[in-house]
Amino acid sequence: MALRTEWLNEMVLAITHLGDAKVLAGLCLIGAIVLIIMKQIRNSLLLIGSILVSYGLNLLVKSMFQRERPQDYRLLEEDGYSFPSGNAMVGTSFYLFATVLLYQRY
């Protein structure tokens, strides 16, 4: 595709990795530990719960739509259905919840 450039591909991949399951799981674990240390057990459980619920909801909705992934112009090879995006859905849940917690604190 003529619009692709190496630097733009790298930037898009970096942004994509912010929603990867391993990255989100690590950030969620770190956030939960920090919240427990701060004696905010309820918020820690809500943070973990928000990730688990959004992940479960994502799997449910994917199984309902069963939209195949496009075959052309892939930067990454992924399996499973394409809609809704797990990176976007679970990432949004985590980052919005973390933002709310930070806003309440500061």
Side-chain angles (χ1 to χ4, degrees), residues 39-100:
K39 305 216 185 309
Q40 294 186 21
I41 307 300
R42 180 176 170 268
N43 284 341
S44 176
L45 293 174
L46 287 172
L47 178 63
I48 293 168
S50 72
I51 295 296
L52 293 176
V53 168
S54 64
Y55 180 72
L57 186 59
N58 182 264
L59 292 177
L60 176 68
V61 175
K62 276 183 187 274
S63 70
M64 290 169 49
F65 282 94
Q66 296 184 1
R67 182 172 178 218
E68 295 296 326
R69 292 184 179 276
Q71 297 300 316
D72 298 333
Y73 308 114
R74 289 184 175 192
L75 285 179
L76 294 173
E77 286 299 320
E78 294 288 335
D79 56 353
Y81 296 118
S82 68
F83 179 82
S85 166
N87 279 20
M89 190 170 177
V90 180
T92 299
S93 175
F94 172 79
Y95 291 116
L96 280 177
F97 194 84
T99 301
V100 168

